[in-house]
């Protein structure tokens, strides 16, 4: 069983994470940061559990927007948007967008160098490979 000190430490960590939108516990790295794969976004377990609906309503009144129905519909809307992104761009839309940006830069670079490119309407042999969107 976790002692009171462990619970206090865990709650402090949760508070710091929520209040700073995760920045308080960020480990700086030499790469772009973000949520990562949308497919993994909702797999995290939830730390806070409420004993009943009345407790959640009181918490939401104090720290939320005091609109439980709005919170539910906003959550559904966010999930629907994430599903739509994944249907079009795969499980990690940000990575796919970055890949597409690099493919476009590569094709413009070939065109600028006078080589066959989809930009100047003369696709090279590898154009079909370059334009394949991985899933």
């Amino acid at each position: 069983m976790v002692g009171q000190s462990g619970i206090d430490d865990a709650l402090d960590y949760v508070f710091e994470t929520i209040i700073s939108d995760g920045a308080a516990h960020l480990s700086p790295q030499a790469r772009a940061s973000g949520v990562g794969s949308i497919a993994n976004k909702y797999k995290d377990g939830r730390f806070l559990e409420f004993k009943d609906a009345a407790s959640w309503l009181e918490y939401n009144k104090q720290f939320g927007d005091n609109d439980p129905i709005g919170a539910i519909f906003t959550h559904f809307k966010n999930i629907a948007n994430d599903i739509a992104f994944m249907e079009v761009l795969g499980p990690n839309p940000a990575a796919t967008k970055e890949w597409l940006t690099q493919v476009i830069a590569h094709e413009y670079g070939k065109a600028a160098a006078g080589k066959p490119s989809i930009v100047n309407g003369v696709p090279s042999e590898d154009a079909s490979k370059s334009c394949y969107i991985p899933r």
Side-chain angles (χ1 to χ4, degrees):
M1 184 166 176
V2 178
Q4 185 63 40
S5 174
I7 291 171
D8 288 345
D9 291 344
L11 289 172
D12 286 345
Y13 186 91
V14 169
F15 172 78
E16 293 161 0
T17 302
I18 292 170
I19 202 74
S20 71
D21 199 22
H25 301 287
L26 180 70
S27 297
Q29 300 176 26
R31 65 177 180 83
S33 64
V35 295
S37 173
I38 289 178
N40 295 330
K41 182 177 180 179
Y42 297 102
K43 75 176 178 107
D44 294 337
R46 300 298 177 239
F47 179 78
L48 300 176
E49 293 183 17
F50 298 89
K51 66 181 177 180
D52 55 28
S55 299
W56 183 86
L57 287 169
E58 181 58 35
Y59 173 87
N60 190 49
K61 187 183 294 183
Q62 208 171 351
F63 301 107
D65 61 6
N66 198 23
D67 180 11
I69 301 301
I72 292 167
F73 278 97
T74 297
H75 184 65
F76 288 161
K77 179 180 152 270
N78 291 341
I79 290 174
N81 285 339
D82 287 345
I83 290 169
F85 276 128
M86 289 189 296
E87 285 178 345
V88 174
L89 298 174
N92 193 341
T96 303
K97 178 183 170 243
E98 179 60 30
W99 178 82
L100 286 168
T101 301
Q102 291 178 24
V103 167
I104 292 166
H106 176 68
E107 289 297 321
Y108 270 95
K110 290 192 305 186
K115 294 185 174 186
S117 167
I118 58 175
V119 173
N120 58 21
V122 187
S124 61
E125 289 182 21
D126 67 338
S128 61
K129 294 179 206 160
S130 303
C131 297
Y132 171 73
I133 298 175
R135 293 260 175 185

